[in-house]
Amino acid sequence: MKEKIKSLVKNSLEQISDCNSLKELELIKIEILSKNGSFANLMKDLKNIPNEQKPFYGKIINEAKSEVLNVFSTKSSILNEQEQNAKEKKEALDVTLSKKYNIGAFNPINIVKQDISNIFIGMGFSLADGPEIELKKYNFDLLNIPEDHPARDFTDTFYITENLLLRTQTSGVQVRVLEKEKPPIKIICPGKVYRPDDDATHSPMFHQIEGLYIDENVTLKDLKKTLEEFAKLFFDKHTTVRFRPSFFPFTEPSVEVDLSCSMCHGKGCNLCKNTGWLELLGAGVVNPVVLEKSGLDSKKYSGFAFGIGVERAAMIKYGIPDMRLMFDNDVRFIKQFKF
Ligand code: PHE
């Protein structure tokens, strides 16, 4: 009996000492110390020994069991601590890690879009919005664009159905706003537009910022003042603007607006192709026909509208030679621009 007890203790202590995880320790506990475990079985063996020796061996077995129990609980707390430490280490937040990540940057298109919007918001314009998938009605019809106008051609417009298209200009938002609001109206609408063009200065998707100001007695002079102010704030204070006669069915008169070249200030250089001027946007006095089509009294109200090409403004401001660079999303390019 003595030998049996000795070898059980030895065996148990070895098992506990070799054990490496709480899970394994739990299994050992069941095997040795549970109701049907090795110590319990040893107690059952007592029935085979003479009565007078039973208390003696019973005591020895109990002492051996409590020795094993002691070692067991020490081992349990050691393993518990080890496993806790490992878990904390695994879940710990390494604050030095962010150094390994590249911090992103804003695309110049977004920077310019935001800068231009902020300037007009500062002049009292508020933001308006319209859908990129637009009805033909808003993109063309209500803007007084004739049925046979080449811009309506499927080579110039992405049609979805006969009446639904990807808007080719943000000007449709003018009509959407005129239908809903009463003058004074003073809005800008930055957004994406789509045309089937693709080369160094054209992209099938690009951005425009539409402007619309309608009130009593708004004239071409107000347009010029507003755009001059904008050009000085967006480019630099020496920038001047020039109006050239143009044609848009929804403005009358219509103008093409040029800026004095930001690189040579009018002397002539590569950027402005030696003209001293850079073409930036289309604009004009809102055609009374458009106001009437939207239910506004064109004798009482007048106004101006403009449409700025965002990519074009970015190319001029930063001297970007190819529009496609802005769509490639190469961080080495994008990171050069500061918000
Ligand atoms: N929508 C015109 C274009 O895309 C620009 C424009 C807007 C012209 C508003 C006049 C008034 O070219």
Side-chain angles (χ1 to χ4, degrees), residues 178-246:
L178 286 172
E179 272 185 356
K180 271 201 310 237
E181 290 173 28
K182 289 266 152 293
I185 290 168
K186 210 173 177 186
I187 58 102
I188 52 163
C189 168
K192 292 185 171 71
V193 298
Y194 303 83
R195 288 179 201 178
D197 289 323
D198 199 3
D199 60 39
T201 51
H202 298 89
S203 154
M205 185 281 286
F206 61 105
H207 298 75
Q208 287 187 333
I209 296 182
E210 193 77 13
L212 178 71
Y213 178 30
I214 306 284
D215 204 349
E216 293 178 26
N217 305 316
V218 179
T219 66
L220 193 67
K221 201 171 145 194
D222 297 308
L223 172 66
K224 186 141 195 230
K225 269 267 134 230
T226 305
L227 293 180
E228 244 162 23
E229 190 59 27
F230 156 72
K232 287 187 194 312
L233 289 169
F234 182 67
F235 294 98
D236 67 61
K237 60 179 190 295
H238 305 295
T239 311
T240 51
V241 300
R242 169 176 92 166
F243 278 10
R244 270 183 298 117
S246 185

Side-chain angles (χ1 to χ4, degrees), residues 169 171 174 195 208 210 248 250-251 282-284 305-307:
Q169 50 185 354
S171 297
Q174 285 185 37
R195 288 179 201 178
Q208 287 187 333
E210 193 77 13
F248 298 103
F250 37 94
T251 46
F306 57 84

Side-chain angles (χ1 to χ4, degrees), residues 284-326:
V285 171
V286 177
N287 194 329
V289 176
V290 173
L291 296 181
E292 295 289 339
K293 274 185 197 277
S294 301
L296 238 86
D297 182 355
S298 65
K299 291 203 179 57
K300 187 167 177 205
Y301 296 112
S302 58
F304 64 71
F306 57 84
I308 304 176
V310 177
E311 284 78 0
R312 174 123 192 98
M315 287 169 89
I316 294 173
K317 183 158 179 172
Y318 298 119
I320 300 168
D322 191 321
M323 187 186 276
R324 290 170 290 204
L325 286 166
M326 291 185 275

Side-chain angles (χ1 to χ4, degrees), residues 13 17 21 77 138 144 147 161 173 211 273 301-302 312 319 328:
L13 295 183
S17 140
S21 76
S77 48
Y138 290 112
N144 195 36
E147 281 295 335
T161 66
V173 179
K273 299 193 184 85
Y301 296 112
S302 58
R312 174 123 192 98
D328 285 346

